[in-house]
Amino acid sequence: MDAAEAVILESGGRNFTLDAVAERAGISKGGLVYTFATKDGLVYAALEREMARFQEAVRQRLGSGPTGPVELVLAHIEEALAEDDASTQMAAFLITALVHAPDMLGPVRRLYSALLDPLRSEHGEFAEVRHALLAVEGIFLLRGLGFAEVSADELKSVLLHARNIVLAVLNRSAYLPL
């Protein structure tokens, strides 16, 4: 998996092939295919690993205090603020590499369902938090996929603004954690 991640980070995914990963790992392509029968299988395994790493970091940020949907989004945004460009680029590549295989996007869909579903509201504080999270994820994909030129300062500004929205919701007396 380290070799797959290295190939993605070195080439932005442009040269992500089973041959390139096997060469980087110092093994034969046959040895790699024995474990990962297809490129999609390798991408899926790398995506699961990256998501587990990110989710563990979010869990650590949450600590042992009360946790509701707003606190979860805050921890998600704070971890996004701590991420480096390489992590962002890798996550974006892995997610989009599986877009053509919707049945493999289950873990990603479950993650976003857990974040977004409790915040479904047209108005009010949950709507504010939901919109902040959607802005964070939108800029993540736009920048990570190279669809838009987004400077590091602009990215940080959007993430900080989203975090401030969530913090304002948490500070209002009307919101009580679950």
Side-chain angles (χ1 to χ4, degrees), residues 69-121:
V70 177
E71 290 87 358
L72 182 58
V73 169
L74 179 61
H76 185 92
I77 291 170
E78 288 178 339
E79 185 55 30
L81 273 162
E83 291 284 294
D84 60 17
D85 281 345
S87 296
T88 299
Q89 178 184 4
M90 181 173 341
F93 168 77
L94 292 169
I95 290 169
T96 57
L98 291 175
V99 167
H100 70 279
D103 56 318
M104 296 180 99
L105 286 174
V108 176
R109 289 185 174 147
R110 284 189 294 281
L111 169 71
Y112 285 115
S113 260
L115 285 168
L116 292 167
D117 288 353
L119 301 169
R120 290 207 184 274
S121 175

Side-chain angles (χ1 to χ4, degrees), residues 53-63 71-73 75-77 79-80 115:
R53 183 205 57 78
F54 187 85
Q55 288 176 310
E56 178 56 29
V58 168
R59 274 191 289 281
Q60 288 179 7
R61 286 184 181 282
L62 285 170
E71 290 87 358
L72 182 58
V73 169
H76 185 92
I77 291 170
E79 185 55 30
L115 285 168

Side-chain angles (χ1 to χ4, degrees), residues 17-23 26-37:
T17 64
L18 293 175
D19 288 324
V21 173
E23 181 180 329
I27 61 174
S28 69
K29 182 178 177 181
L32 181 64
V33 172
Y34 181 77
T35 305
F36 303 102

